[in-house]
């Protein structure tokens, strides 16, 4: 499926990224209608294996999606999870005992050699292996016992956008399937995503505020923390602004000292327990006079210097990350355009990063 460019973007720099961001509502609907049954079947087969532990393996944007899965698995299923260090097997040749361990590898392309090698090694070590990719014919899918196709369609822009949200929704449906749920709560996402993406003029106005920023700090807690990390990555790879992401709890343990009234601080505030846990951090930031930008519920945005109100009413906290990232993807795009750069062609990046 080729990208369709929203009206007004035309031949602007970044038109590929913009087109792929615009595809996300239709893509989310496609996953729910076409992908969910296969995801549920895969989840049922893996649940029958009764894994005792989960290891998540990924790089870059997919690593942030894997972190989201870690929160889901630990909170909803009580399964302990870890983020794997692939170099222990690919560089050091370690041979861990992975019997009855579920190893989930998340990758957009399924082509990075270290992901392939570590997944193969995990399977040889007795793990139940699952890969979540946008390419069912990839080398990674070939070495794994199970595979989930995220059905995002070809992604041509170097900054990953639709594959991130497709990974989040696919992982949510998978975890729901593990516990016997049907994932029906996700049905609200396509229409709400369309609503959020239609407000691009709001984001363009916000981008002018941050055009000359020399650095940014992005913070959240709970389910919003992967969003903070992904937003920071998008800003760095498109606009080259150093963007530092912290859990709100970690921000208070030292990095808060660098916050002033000049460098913007973005807070991703989920409507739920994660947002409640972030409240003391927001209070401290306001006390320091921070230029605070909030993505979240209306009341939180109203108390900040600037922000973007999300339609979170009635949306489960664990699903809000699918919506939270949308205005932040657009913000990275618009800030990059405002700085005279092309988000479709960030320097020094390739679509498939072949780490080993």
């Amino acid at each position: 499926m080729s990208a369709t460019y929203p009206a007004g973007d035309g031949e602007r720099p970044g038109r590929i990224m913009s087109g792929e961001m615009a595809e996300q509502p239709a893509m989310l609907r496609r996953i729910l209608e076409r992908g969910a049954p296969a995801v549920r079947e895969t989840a049922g087969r893996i649940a029958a294996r009764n894994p005792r532990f989960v290891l998540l393996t990924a790089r870059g944007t997919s690593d942030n999606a894997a972190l989201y899965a870690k929160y889901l698995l630990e909170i909803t299923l009580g399964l302990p999870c870890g983020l794997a260090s692939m170099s222990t097997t690919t560089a050091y040749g370690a041979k861990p005992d992975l019997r009855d361990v579920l190893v989930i590898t998340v990758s957009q392309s399924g082509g990075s050699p270290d992901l392939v090698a570590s997944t193969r090694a995990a399977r040889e070590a007795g793990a139940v292996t699952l890969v979540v990719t946008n390419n069912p014919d990839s080398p990674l899918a070939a070495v794994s016992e199970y595979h989930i196709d995220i059905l995002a369609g070809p992604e041509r822009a170097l900054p990953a956008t639709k594959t991130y949200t497709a990974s989040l929704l696919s992982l949510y449906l998978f975890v729901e399937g593990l516990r016997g749920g049907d994932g029906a709560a996700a049905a609200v996402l396509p229409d709400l995503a369309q609503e959020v993406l239609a407000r691009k003029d709001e984001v363009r106005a916000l981008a002018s505020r941050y055009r000359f920023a020399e650095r940014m700090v992005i913070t959240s807690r709970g389910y919003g923390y992967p969003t903070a990390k992904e937003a920071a990555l998008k800003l760095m790879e498109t606009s080259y602004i150093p963007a530092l992401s912290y859990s709100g709890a970690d921000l208070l343990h030292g990095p808060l000292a660098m916050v002033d009234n000049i460098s913007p601080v973005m807070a991703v505030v989920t409507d739920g327990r994660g947002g409640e846990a972030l409240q003391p951090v927001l209070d401290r930031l306001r006390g320091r006079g921070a230029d605070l930008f909030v993505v979240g519920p209306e009341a939180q945005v109203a108390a900040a210097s600037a922000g973007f109100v999300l339609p979170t009413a009635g949306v489960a906290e664990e699903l809000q990350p699918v919506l939270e990232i949308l205005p932040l993807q657009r913000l990275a795009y618009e800030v990059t355009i405002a700085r005279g750069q092309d988000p479709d062609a960030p320097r020094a990046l390739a679509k498939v990063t072949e780490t080993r």
Side-chain angles (χ1 to χ4, degrees):
M1 182 180 297
S2 60
T4 55
Y5 307 126
D9 282 334
E11 294 299 313
R12 294 179 76 196
R15 62 190 182 276
I16 300 174
M17 180 181 177
S18 181
E20 290 176 347
M21 287 189 291
E23 289 180 27
Q24 290 174 105
M27 177 205 70
L28 295 172
R29 190 168 285 109
R30 181 167 62 248
I31 294 169
L32 291 171
E33 293 175 355
R34 289 175 38 197
V39 173
R40 195 176 302 119
E41 180 182 354
T42 298
R45 292 181 178 179
I46 291 176
R49 306 278 291 272
N50 196 28
R52 59 184 171 85
F53 189 86
V54 181
L55 280 176
L56 294 143
T57 305
R59 298 285 192 198
T61 284
S62 295
D63 200 30
N64 299 327
L67 180 58
Y68 167 75
K70 183 178 189 294
Y71 278 92
L72 277 175
L73 288 158
E74 290 186 341
I75 293 170
T76 64
L77 295 180
L79 269 177
C81 301
L83 298 176
S85 300
M86 282 174 278
S87 62
T88 60
T89 55
T90 61
Y92 291 92
K95 297 185 182 299
D97 180 0
L98 297 179
R99 287 173 294 179
D100 302 322
V101 174
L102 171 59
V103 173
I104 303 174
T105 304
V106 186
S107 171
Q108 172 195 337
S109 67
S112 185
D114 60 347
L115 293 172
V116 174
S118 63
T119 300
R120 180 188 295 112
R123 190 171 181 181
E124 291 172 352
V128 178
T129 54
L130 167 68
V131 301
V132 179
T133 80
N134 196 36
N135 184 359
D137 299 319
S138 64
L140 183 57
V143 300
S144 178
E145 186 174 1
Y146 298 99
H147 175 257
I148 289 174
D149 183 355
I150 64 173
L151 299 176
E155 190 170 59
R156 295 191 296 131
L158 286 177
T161 54
K162 63 179 182 176
T163 51
Y164 180 69
T165 49
S167 296
L168 296 187
L169 180 53
S170 298
L171 287 163
Y172 168 80
L173 293 172
F174 171 70
V175 175
E176 279 293 289
L178 285 179
R179 65 175 185 169
D182 59 7
V188 300
L189 292 178
D191 288 343
L192 291 177
Q194 188 70 54
E195 176 186 329
V196 170
L197 289 169
R199 295 161 56 194
K200 62 183 179 181
D201 289 343
E202 287 183 49
V203 182
R204 190 170 297 149
L206 290 166
S208 64
R209 182 185 182 98
Y210 304 114
R211 176 181 179 182
F212 299 108
E214 294 184 0
R215 71 165 187 244
M216 294 186 184
V217 172
I218 308 177
T219 188
S220 189
R221 291 202 69 179
Y223 284 114
Y225 182 41
T227 307
K229 291 176 66 67
E230 176 61 11
L233 177 59
K234 284 292 151 288
L235 283 162
M236 288 189 288
E237 69 184 357
T238 57
S239 68
Y240 318 139
I241 297 174
L244 308 174
S245 59
Y246 294 99
S247 157
D250 289 332
L251 184 64
L252 297 183
H253 285 266
L256 184 68
M258 70 178 173
V259 173
D260 52 31
N261 62 355
I262 298 174
S263 299
V265 178
M266 296 185 184
V268 179
V269 185
T270 55
D271 191 358
R273 294 187 182 183
E276 293 168 6
L278 190 64
Q279 189 59 53
V281 182
L282 299 175
D283 293 340
R284 291 284 298 277
L285 289 169
R286 293 186 187 102
R288 291 188 60 82
D291 178 0
L292 182 61
F293 172 98
V294 166
V295 173
E298 185 174 6
Q300 292 288 355
V301 173
S305 307
F308 188 99
V309 176
L310 282 177
T312 56
V315 182
E317 183 177 358
E318 59 268 28
L319 286 169
Q320 290 176 35
V322 179
L323 301 176
E324 289 166 350
I325 193 59
L326 300 178
L328 294 169
Q329 290 174 344
R330 189 78 198 187
L331 183 69
Y333 168 89
E334 293 291 355
V335 168
T336 304
I337 295 291
R339 290 163 71 94
Q341 296 151 197
D342 185 353
D344 282 343
R347 63 193 182 207
L349 293 184
K351 194 60 184 170
V352 179
T353 304
E354 296 191 352
T355 48
R356 296 181 183 275

